[in-house]
Amino acid sequence: MSDKKYVTVTLVKSTIGRLPNHRACVSGLGLRRMHQTVSVIDTPENRGMINKVHYLLKVEEA
């Protein structure tokens, strides 16, 4: 576990009225509600989801 890099992601804008694919990316990252913060492993798959909904998130390198 110590060799994996993590990214901290916080949902700062609502998913109400967003495209279904964007809502799916937010839930795929493990975010359920506003201002919730999760740590996800820095993989190309997670980076792709973060890039797709970057306008809803605050991202910090961990």
Side-chain angles (χ1 to χ4, degrees):
M1 180 175 149
S2 61
D3 58 343
K4 294 182 183 177
K5 291 192 175 187
Y6 285 85
V7 178
T8 303
V9 183
T10 305
L11 185 62
V12 295
K13 284 191 168 184
S14 175
T15 59
I16 294 173
R18 306 295 177 189
L19 293 171
N21 286 343
H22 291 200
R23 293 176 108 164
C25 285
V26 170
S27 66
L29 290 168
L31 296 165
R32 297 171 185 260
R33 62 187 64 88
M34 290 278 296
H35 307 293
Q36 181 183 5
T37 302
V38 296
S39 292
V40 294
I41 300 173
D42 192 4
T43 62
E45 295 83 5
N46 286 337
R47 279 290 176 176
M49 288 192 282
I50 289 169
N51 289 338
K52 182 171 263 194
V53 293
H54 66 91
Y55 63 97
L56 300 173
L57 306 174
K58 182 175 83 172
V59 181
E60 299 170 349
E61 304 294 326

